[in-house]
Amino acid sequence: MPGLRLAGIAKSFGSVHAVEATNLDFAEGELTALLGPSGCGKTTLLRMIAGLEAPTRGAILLGEADITAQPAHERKFGMVFQNFALFPHLSVRENVVYSLMISGIAKSDAMATGARLLDLVQLKGFDDRRIGELSGGQRQRVAIARALAQEPEVFLLDEPMSALDAKLREDMQVELRMLQQRLGITTVVVTHDQREAMTMADRIVVMSQGKVEQVGSPQQIYHQPENAFVADFIGRANFFDGVAEAAGVRIGSVLLDAAAGAGFRPGTPVSLACRPEVACLIDCTSPGTSLPAKVTFVRDVGPARDIHLETEIGRIIVEYARGETDQPFAVGQETTVTLPASGLHVFPRAERAAA
Amino acid sequence: MSLVSDTEVLEDASASAPPRQISVAQLVWWALILFLCLTPFVLVIAISFGQKIEGAAWEWAFTFANYERVFVGANWPEQFTVLYLQRLYYSLFYAVIAAVLAILTAFPFTYLMTRLSRRAQSIWLVFILSSLSLSEVFIVMGWDVLLSNRSGLPMVLKETGVTDWLKAVGWFDTLREWGLANPRNVKFKTSVFATVLTMAYLVWPYAVILLYPPLSRLDRSMVEAAQTMGAGPWTVMRTVVLPTMRLPLLGATLLLFVFLLGVYVAVTVFAEPAKQTMAVSVYEAIRGNTLNAPFGAAQAVVLLITASIFLAMGQWLSKRTAA
Amino acid sequence: MLRVISQGFMALSAVLLALPIVVVCGAALNAGRTMFFPPKEPTFARFYEFFVADTVWITALSHSVLIAFASAVLAVLIAWPVAYGLWARGDAGSKLLAGLGSMPFALPPIVFGVGLGFLWSFSGALGSIWAGVVSHAALFVALPIVTISIGLQSIDRAHLDAAATMGATRAVAFRTVILPQTLPYTVSGFFFALVLSFNEFIVMFFVSASSYSTVTLQIFNSLRNGYTPTMAVAAILFISVSVVVFSAIARWGDLPRLMGAEPAKT
């Protein structure tokens, strides 16, 4: 199974640029998540890969072959749709073997493949059910089996979990990922849910406003965001506006020790981001800047506590997981917060306005 | 955020699908529809300018004589005749009263019907549609039996003594003044009452079908919101349901009205000879006693224009409703 | 209290709606030649007359059935491409075409009948059965256009995308997705046209030119001679056909949706 390559692909609808010139490589057998807020162009990008939308510019290559001009029904990339788009007039089995039946494969072979696929998605014995009789999770399994029946070279999923309730969603993410790894099929998943992307993906493509913001492994995306948009969109972050100086970043009268600030010319307006679990209130070992702070609110959601602080550079949220510390915090309590120099991400300031 | 959402973008895509060339099949279909659905009307309009010759024949011409005859009479300007204007008047008169009557009674019925379960609604719809599709001839037959002097309601009233009672209390004379009684008994044939009643009956199921979509789409939470604010059923109807239904009601009335303009059988059977409608005189001119096709066509055009004006008004209203 | 009033009103409406129909049906049982209600000396002899003995009625009924079926088939065939164009392209041209197709149904039928009378007399087909069939197809083509359009609108466009990603060309998707999903709506449109054609008489009056007659036309023509209980038998037959057809649509199709209600929640 060859990999997939997008070379300078772009799509505009009239004057609206849905996707700006994009270069992406989807390695063979990898699961890539296209992640971004709604309207960022990720669905349009997926539909261009499927052949449902013709790119305005650029080329799509499968291995060495240019498939840009090939219509969807010749590419036959299996696709799972947002609301699954199962055919209500066909039974479960007829849905699954649809691609085989219309390609004229012998009925007995098709039926055998259908049975094998239903077994694969753990729906043995559901062959003759109507789509209307299935639960959301079962419908999704049928949609996955149906997309895999044609043994596609690329497997596409458009917000596959959005029609499921929260609990089922987490289970299906794991299940889908395990299935994909077992089959070793090149897969692209569109999602707006970063948890979903981080659960399933080998690689995440973060998009906003038709542009790719960052490409990387889930860990890279989370721990080394390349810009303010990614830092803001993936996970949570405390944001501050400041000015770069030779020794760090100045916010008002405070000079923060920030390792990443070194790359900026002194005087440049910058944004600072700090993950809540990186900021530290007690037993702080990594070097950084300490500030006096006052607790304004404590949120205890069970597995973790958020401590909201008021400091002279603004509000800061610190997160402690259950078991990390037993020390109680009360509203009004005076304390000291440390922002570790290695945990401060610094970006040019203009970028964040775009998000 | 000034972003276009994914779905909006996709809709845009389908709208800007590449223009296709006009195929042979498309041309054939256009020709077919134009021939079957438009030429009959064009012919009626063209022939309305023709003139009658010997016997039952006519020839092409371009004369306004037929229209003159409709609006001011054949001997104008010496003599001014309103016979055909009167027929147009009665066409409008019966149609307006019957349409309003049908809407007024069908509205509460449909409102109540849409509150029922979907299954119950289906059963009612079967009943309503069966009545709607039943030929005018059968309906007129039924009302004729019910209203005729020998067998129907007048007989029942006489046998049960209601007629004598009416005479005793003096209301019988009022009925006579209204033309609903002869010296011996009440009578409904022929009368405006019987005509309008039958016409209203004819379009009543049609009224239900027209009011059904807007009423079944009426947002129930709106009604419930009004109830939580202390509105009783009548207040809900007056302050919530009726205001939102104003345009659909008016639109439905217009459509019923247009439908009723063309009613023929009910009028010939139930209307007094002096109070016949334009549909009847179209019939008479084309196939009845007078046999004057161009004159019949001219009257048909008058009916057509009247109907088109009210249909256009209805269209405009429904567009405003949708907006 | 209000509940009682509501139910009372609905019951009263139903009774009034049924009254003339019941009267006609009851009158079919009369033994004599005159319509009485309640019937005098009830008998089923008129049914025998209508269905077996009287050739005038049997011929008329066969014409009615032939014209209703053939015109409904023709109406559906004409309506499909019109509705499909409206759905697939939705441009001003397809809207105009659909509007033209709906015109005969929306305007007073007597005017359309007169016009068709002229049309067929020019083309020399006046009085032929097939002219009657085509006339009714033109009159009622609006009904399948509407029902098929409702059916097409109810198709999720994602279904077509899904079919494409599984290798279906436009033609295959049409055959395997669009046609089966719109079948109930096509059938409904067919039956609406069938039932209305069965009951129509004024257009038929002008295009038949007295060379043949249908059941309703036969009754229409004998208006002035008065009704006979045999005609009431026809009424019973016709109302039965309507009830059966609409019940079937309600059973196998979504009647409330066809009539314009919101799609049912599943």
Side-chain angles (χ1 to χ4, degrees):
Chain A
M1 254 180 269
L4 184 73
R5 161 177 290 181
L6 306 184
I9 206 119
K11 177 77 183 176
S12 22
F13 299 106
S15 59
V16 181
H17 299 289
V19 176
E20 291 182 18
T22 300
N23 294 295
L24 279 174
D25 280 304
F26 299 92
E28 185 185 335
E30 257 190 15
L31 193 151
T32 309
L34 301 180
L35 176 63
S38 75
C40 72
K42 57 191 190 297
T43 293
T44 308
L45 194 60
L46 190 80
R47 289 173 62 85
M48 285 194 283
I49 297 173
L52 295 169
E53 214 80 68
T56 315
R57 277 189 313 281
I60 303 174
L61 301 142
L62 185 65
E64 293 305 309
D66 185 342
I67 58 164
T68 318
Q70 232 177 34
H73 62 87
E74 284 172 24
R75 288 185 207 183
K76 289 183 76 169
F77 292 172
M79 181 153 166
V80 173
F81 289 78
Q82 212 171 97
N83 293 308
F84 310 139
L86 296 173
F87 302 138
H89 59 288
L90 300 179
S91 70
V92 166
R93 180 182 36 212
E94 286 166 334
N95 262 284
V96 171
V97 299
Y98 178 86
S99 59
L100 307 176
M101 294 309 285
I102 62 170
S103 67
I105 284 174
K107 200 169 175 188
S108 55
D109 292 350
M111 289 302 138
T113 312
R116 188 171 51 74
L117 281 162
L118 282 176
D119 200 12
L120 184 75
V121 295
Q122 298 164 32
L123 279 180
K124 208 170 190 167
F126 280 70
D127 304 47
D128 295 319
R129 298 277 185 99
R130 309 301 300 183
I131 298 304
E133 298 168 354
L134 302 183
S135 69
Q138 290 166 339
R139 285 181 201 205
Q140 197 200 35
R141 289 163 198 263
V142 176
I144 291 168
R146 184 176 75 165
L148 294 174
Q150 56 199 313
E151 295 177 1
E153 288 158 304
V154 179
F155 185 31
L156 307 172
L157 301 101
D158 184 8
E159 302 270 10
M161 308 293 168
S162 64
L164 306 181
D165 53 45
K167 213 170 155 51
L168 188 58
R169 205 174 287 182
E170 307 243 310
D171 296 342
M172 284 309 292
Q173 286 162 4
V174 174
E175 201 175 311
L176 182 61
R177 171 58 163 164
M178 281 165 35
L179 178 69
Q180 184 267 336
Q181 282 178 325
R182 190 139 48 97
L183 298 173
I185 183 169
T186 312
T187 304
V188 184
V189 179
V190 158
T191 177
H192 65 274
D193 178 353
Q194 50 137 333
R195 241 181 108 77
E196 184 170 309
M198 297 186 74
T199 308
M200 300 199 295
D202 293 302
R203 232 165 38 115
I204 294 178
V205 177
V206 183
M207 293 182 69
S208 115
Q209 294 193 303
K211 283 198 303 284
V212 172
E213 299 285 351
Q214 185 173 355
V215 181
S217 72
Q219 302 317 308
Q220 280 171 335
I221 297 275
Y222 187 84
H223 295 291
Q224 294 142 37
E226 282 173 9
N227 55 45
F229 174 83
V230 176
D232 194 19
F233 188 73
I234 307 294
R236 298 185 302 163
N238 297 297
F239 273 97
F240 314 98
D241 287 342
V243 177
E245 285 189 7
V249 177
R250 175 167 296 282
I251 302 167
S253 59
V254 180
L255 183 65
L256 288 176
D257 183 7
F264 290 90
R265 203 156 43 80
T268 314
V270 294
S271 287
L272 269 175
C274 176
R275 299 272 182 219
E277 70 275 16
V278 171
C280 166
L281 286 170
I282 38 168
D283 305 330
C284 305
T285 46
S286 42
T289 315
S290 292
L291 297 163
K294 189 177 168 187
V295 178
T296 57
F297 186 77
V298 178
R299 175 161 76 167
D300 190 336
V301 291
R305 273 187 303 171
D306 282 354
I307 297 111
H308 294 234
L309 304 165
E310 193 61 57
T311 71
E312 61 180 297
I313 62 167
R315 275 180 52 184
I316 297 176
I317 297 171
V318 182
E319 184 190 298
Y320 275 110
R322 168 80 57 228
E324 261 190 292
T325 173
D326 290 334
Q327 184 168 331
F329 291 96
V331 173
Q333 187 182 333
E334 301 282 348
T335 181
T336 303
V337 64
T338 305
L339 302 176
S342 59
L344 284 178
H345 304 289
V346 185
F347 314 108
R349 198 187 301 169
E351 270 184 44
R352 214 178 130 226
Chain B
M1 297 226 293
S2 63
L3 296 177
V4 182
S5 80
D6 277 7
T7 45
E8 278 173 64
V9 169
L10 293 182
E11 272 165 27
D12 215 18
S14 57
S16 63
R20 252 165 303 157
Q21 288 134 320
I22 294 166
S23 64
V24 178
Q26 259 176 304
L27 278 178
V28 169
W29 242 257
W30 268 95
L32 192 68
I33 295 278
L34 285 177
F35 177 73
L36 286 179
C37 300
L38 191 64
T39 36
F41 293 110
V42 173
L43 279 174
V44 170
I45 294 170
I47 290 169
S48 73
F49 295 105
Q51 58 193 17
K52 181 183 156 79
I53 49 173
E54 305 321 82
W58 58 273
E59 61 182 11
W60 295 107
F62 189 72
T63 163
F64 286 95
N66 299 312
Y67 288 98
E68 241 174 66
R69 194 170 156 202
V70 172
F71 288 108
V72 288
N75 300 324
W76 193 76
E78 292 82 40
Q79 197 187 354
F80 177 59
T81 327
V82 290
L83 178 63
Y84 292 100
L85 273 186
Q86 214 171 36
R87 296 206 159 165
L88 182 61
Y89 165 76
Y90 277 110
S91 285
L92 301 174
F93 174 76
Y94 294 136
V96 166
I97 297 182
V100 170
L101 198 65
I103 290 286
L104 284 182
T105 49
F107 177 72
F109 174 84
T110 317
Y111 180 75
L112 294 172
M113 188 179 99
T114 53
R115 306 297 100 165
L116 300 174
S117 73
R118 218 165 160 93
R119 203 182 139 70
Q121 287 185 34
S122 286
I123 295 169
W124 273 107
L125 283 172
V126 168
F127 181 48
I128 303 282
L129 282 170
S130 302
S131 161
L132 171 79
S133 62
L134 191 63
S135 188
E136 197 185 336
V137 291
F138 296 123
I139 287 162
V140 169
M141 204 194 276
W143 282 109
D144 203 8
V145 174
L146 272 171
L147 298 178
S148 72
N149 301 334
R150 285 189 308 130
S151 62
L153 271 179
M155 273 291 277
V156 174
L157 294 178
K158 190 163 190 143
E159 300 275 317
T160 53
V162 175
T163 309
D164 292 332
W165 176 76
L166 282 172
K167 282 177 179 164
V169 294
W171 289 354
F172 194 76
D173 294 323
T174 322
L175 285 177
R176 281 201 68 179
E177 274 169 40
W178 290 349
L180 291 176
N182 57 31
R184 276 163 286 111
N185 197 357
V186 291
K187 70 157 178 82
F188 300 113
K189 265 184 78 180
T190 53
S191 67
V192 172
F193 169 76
T195 315
V196 168
L197 175 73
T198 314
M199 286 170 83
Y201 177 90
L202 266 178
V203 290
W204 195 84
Y206 197 32
V208 173
I209 295 302
L210 286 173
L211 293 177
Y212 181 72
L215 274 173
S216 67
R217 281 159 190 254
L218 190 76
D219 189 355
R220 273 166 213 226
S221 60
M222 219 163 59
V223 172
E224 283 162 3
Q227 283 169 346
T228 62
M229 290 182 276
W234 301 114
T235 318
V236 168
M237 182 56 77
R238 191 171 47 78
T239 56
V240 180
V241 179
L242 277 178
T244 53
M245 288 295 297
R246 215 183 60 230
L247 290 177
L249 277 172
L250 205 51
T253 313
L254 285 172
L255 282 179
L256 297 190
F257 172 81
V258 170
F259 181 89
L260 286 169
L261 282 180
V263 165
Y264 171 79
V265 180
V267 178
T268 48
V269 171
F270 292 114
E272 291 139 83
K275 296 180 178 174
Q276 299 283 318
T277 62
M278 191 143 264
V280 175
S281 69
V282 169
Y283 173 86
E284 277 170 1
I286 307 270
R287 289 289 300 279
N289 305 325
T290 38
L291 279 186
N292 183 343
F295 181 53
Q299 295 181 79
V301 170
V302 173
L303 261 187
L304 191 66
I305 291 170
T306 315
S308 306
I309 291 170
F310 285 94
L311 272 185
M313 275 168 63
Q315 275 286 318
W316 181 74
L317 275 176
S318 70
K319 269 201 188 116
R320 277 200 41 188
T321 320
Chain C
M1 179 58 193
L2 195 70
R3 216 180 133 74
V4 175
I5 295 176
S6 305
Q7 287 178 347
F9 179 74
M10 290 193 80
L12 181 68
S13 304
V15 168
L16 272 177
L17 196 59
L19 190 61
I21 301 171
V22 170
V23 164
V24 168
C25 296
L29 300 174
N30 273 303
R33 290 277 155 210
T34 324
M35 300 254 270
F36 284 108
F37 188 83
K40 291 186 175 168
E41 304 159 48
T43 167
F44 284 101
R46 305 292 150 231
F47 286 82
Y48 174 77
E49 241 176 52
F50 181 84
F51 287 108
V52 187
D54 198 335
T55 51
V56 174
W57 287 111
I58 296 165
T59 319
L61 183 60
S62 70
H63 289 150
S64 280
V65 171
L66 173 70
I67 291 173
F69 264 94
S71 69
V73 169
L74 195 57
V76 166
L77 290 178
I78 297 173
W80 240 107
V82 177
Y84 185 76
L86 195 61
W87 174 73
R89 285 188 295 279
D91 54 349
S94 353
K95 280 180 190 154
L96 179 65
L97 192 64
L100 282 172
S102 310
M103 210 165 62
F105 189 68
L107 292 166
I110 194 164
V111 179
F112 188 59
V114 168
L116 281 171
F118 291 140
L119 183 67
W120 296 130
S121 73
F122 284 133
S123 46
L126 194 67
S128 73
I129 289 261
W130 70 262
V133 169
V134 174
S135 300
H136 266 187
L139 180 60
F140 296 119
V141 73
L143 298 161
I145 288 180
V146 169
T147 60
I148 294 167
S149 293
I150 293 174
L152 287 168
Q153 278 159 18
S154 71
I155 294 179
D156 188 346
R157 299 236 178 199
H159 286 175
L160 301 177
D161 287 344
T165 61
M166 288 186 283
T169 58
R170 282 177 76 93
V172 170
F174 182 81
R175 186 166 52 77
T176 56
V177 180
I178 297 178
L179 268 188
Q181 289 199 19
T182 48
L183 186 66
Y185 298 90
T186 308
V187 172
S188 303
F190 169 80
F191 279 118
F192 276 114
L194 179 98
V195 166
L196 278 140
S197 161
F198 209 42
N199 284 282
E200 207 281 335
F201 61 92
I202 196 89
V203 166
M204 202 40 71
F205 172 79
F206 286 106
V207 301
S208 70
S210 305
S211 63
Y212 61 89
S213 70
T214 61
V215 173
T216 44
L217 195 50
Q218 184 77 25
I219 295 171
F220 174 74
N221 285 333
S222 41
L223 259 182
R224 286 186 182 78
N225 310 332
Y227 306 114
T228 64
T230 317
M231 297 181 188
V233 174
I236 293 178
L237 173 71
F238 275 56
I239 192 83
S240 312
V241 167
S242 297
V243 170
V244 167
V245 164
F246 291 121
S247 302
I249 294 177
R251 170 71 184 75
W252 286 289
D254 186 352
L255 194 55
R257 168 112 173 80
L258 270 174
M259 291 292 111
E262 295 281 6
K265 291 163 198 86
T266 46

